Amino acid sequence: MKLISLAISISLLTISAMAELKLASPFTDNAVLQRDIPVPIWGTTDAGSSVTIEFAGQTKLTKADAQGKWSVKLGPLEANAQAQTLKVSDSKNHLTITNILVGEVWICSGQSNMQMGHTPDVRPLARKATNIRSFEVKKTVAFTEQDQLEGQWSTEAPSSAVALSFAYHLQQQAKAPIGIVLTCWGSSSLEAWMPRDMIDTVPHFKTMIEEFDANTEAQQQITEILKKAPWTKRDDVFLRRQTNLLYNAMLHPLAPYACRGLVWYQGERNTQSMFGMVKEPWFSRNSGMLKYGDTLNAWIQRIRKEWHNDSMHFLIAMLPGYDAPWISGPKLGMEHPETHSWAWMRESQLKAHELPHTSVSNNIDLGDAKNIHPKDKLPVGQRLALLAARDTLNKKITAQGPTLKNVEPKGDHILVHFDNAEGLKTSDAQSPTGFWIADNSQKWVQAEASIDGTTIKLRSSTLEKPLYVRYAFAGKPSVNLVNAEGLPAYPFRTDHFQPSK
């Protein structure tokens, strides 16, 4: 009798140890796989089990490790708008996911302006979209890095206005299916999307993590919120403003799903201070604007490491015009270059260009002075798509507006030379606006500007020998300088002056 009981116990133990064959979360019916590069496929099963993967004429074999995890890489795939089937099997189970396309896959992430639903200028695209699919990640948080997340590939276009505009216009260039993985949450800081191990490279993030670890009250509140549904608006806002926790739940489980790159529309949360790490309110305790560029670059490099892809492209959506109310710093109006404004955040965002495989789209002529959620989302997506087409699809197109080449002080005036400036003109046929000049006194005055080919001549009757230029360096500048394609000139400054506290 004892032997029978022992046998039953062993049998039950063996059954409980058996793992169900599973694919990782991003692999569901209706998926889009990335073309032209190796495609990782991964999942779990019984430890030591052999696993077979079949797709598009390829067959790959692997074996689960001691923890039951397995992974393979399919060879590069050709774009295909015809539905295909992915088969995965082990000695006991067989999985099939169907209606798979192959094309261009992009992760779209950030905060509320990425999350924002279809605006009037974007809404018509949803009716015209074909072979644009989306995987929308459920919004939640986790204290530790998760292997799974909630989401499902859909044949519908993404709910985000920016993501839809981007996907639609990119498809015009790619001539292939587009897959958008949408993982975003309003009010989130950059630090919310950063893995914990970045404490080794970003000092202020280390401080934020240490403070979070010591805040047992906040941890308990998060635990209680996660136990209930639905969340109140207050609960929702509290969760999305936390440090690191969005990365754990909403980004880490996606890695290393093959994609061309990541579109990042975020920064508003980090604009609430110039120098960062303010004490109040708690959710503004982050990089601030001046540290954001270095933090962003460290994050880009870390995410590429997570995806095992050094050429993973990052598209940064520059923040558009907005007249933010400031507690500190000069208050000289939303067009003045000395006012503490989003101009400094845009300069930080442009630091992404210090890294390879990055692009920053220019939205300086867009936005709403009084609304942090402007409705002009169509051109944001269009400009991101142009950069993606040029920089990742090698299309020979004009993808950005004029950019600063160099400046020449010439006595009583300054010459500003531009690249990407063929057909340099103004959008309203008036004189160029948005230019300010200064000498060593740091007194900034508006400049009289005129166009000569791809050069702008600047002068002011109040300055004998101007030395420095700031262009569109303000919260909501009035700008009209564009190239022949109608793309706006990028903001810049040539001085070395730093903002005062």
Side-chain angles (χ1 to χ4, degrees), residues 446-495:
Q446 285 184 290
E448 300 171 11
S450 58
I451 300 175
D452 182 8
T454 59
T455 298
I456 299 288
K457 182 178 181 180
L458 303 174
R459 69 190 316 156
S460 171
S461 60
T462 63
L463 286 180
E464 292 184 1
K465 292 185 177 181
L467 298 173
Y468 308 107
V469 182
R470 290 186 179 183
Y471 172 69
F473 203 84
K476 185 69 172 69
S478 295
V479 292
N480 59 0
L481 189 64
V482 299
N483 59 15
E485 300 297 323
L487 295 170
Y490 277 66
F492 67 86
R493 68 184 181 108
T494 66
D495 62 279

Side-chain angles (χ1 to χ4, degrees), residues 264-388:
W264 183 244
Y265 192 160
Q266 192 279 333
E268 299 91 339
R269 174 57 53 197
N270 293 73
T271 65
Q272 294 186 308
S273 69
M274 181 70 74
F275 301 94
M277 298 302 284
V278 296
K279 292 184 178 180
E280 296 292 342
W282 68 270
F283 49 80
S284 294
R285 194 160 174 76
N286 53 48
S287 72
M289 291 190 285
L290 296 185
K291 293 178 186 170
Y292 185 89
D294 291 335
T295 307
L296 177 65
N297 284 0
W299 178 75
I300 289 171
Q301 292 171 304
R302 177 61 182 83
I303 297 303
R304 286 175 176 165
K305 181 179 178 181
E306 195 69 25
W307 258 259
H308 309 293
N309 184 358
D310 291 338
S311 60
M312 182 178 179
H313 202 88
F314 277 74
L315 283 170
I316 312 300
M318 183 188 292
L319 296 189
Y322 179 61
D323 182 24
W326 296 103
I327 299 173
S328 62
K331 299 174 180 62
L332 302 172
M334 68 180 182
E335 294 193 42
H336 199 285
E338 288 186 279
T339 297
H340 284 194
S341 72
W342 281 14
W344 297 95
M345 170 56 82
R346 298 183 194 111
E347 183 177 74
S348 277
Q349 290 180 305
L350 283 166
K351 289 194 74 172
H353 282 153
E354 295 174 1
L355 299 177
H357 309 296
T358 58
S359 314
V360 181
S361 69
N362 181 17
N363 302 307
I364 193 61
D365 58 329
L366 306 177
D368 185 322
K370 300 304 178 184
N371 187 353
I372 202 169
H373 300 121
K375 295 181 179 179
D376 46 1
K377 293 294 192 284
L378 179 68
V380 176
Q382 287 175 315
R383 294 170 187 181
L384 289 164
L386 284 173
L387 289 168

Side-chain angles (χ1 to χ4, degrees), residues 159-204:
S159 62
S160 156
V162 168
L164 172 54
S165 177
F166 168 71
Y168 182 86
H169 291 100
L170 180 60
Q171 190 179 61
Q172 310 308 302
Q173 298 283 344
K175 308 300 182 186
I178 304 292
I180 297 295
V181 180
L182 186 63
T183 180
C184 54
W185 207 348
S187 295
S188 56
S189 66
L190 170 57
E191 290 82 358
W193 298 94
M194 288 168 56
R196 178 173 277 261
D197 60 26
M198 286 187 68
I199 61 174
D200 297 329
T201 56
V202 182
H204 82 268

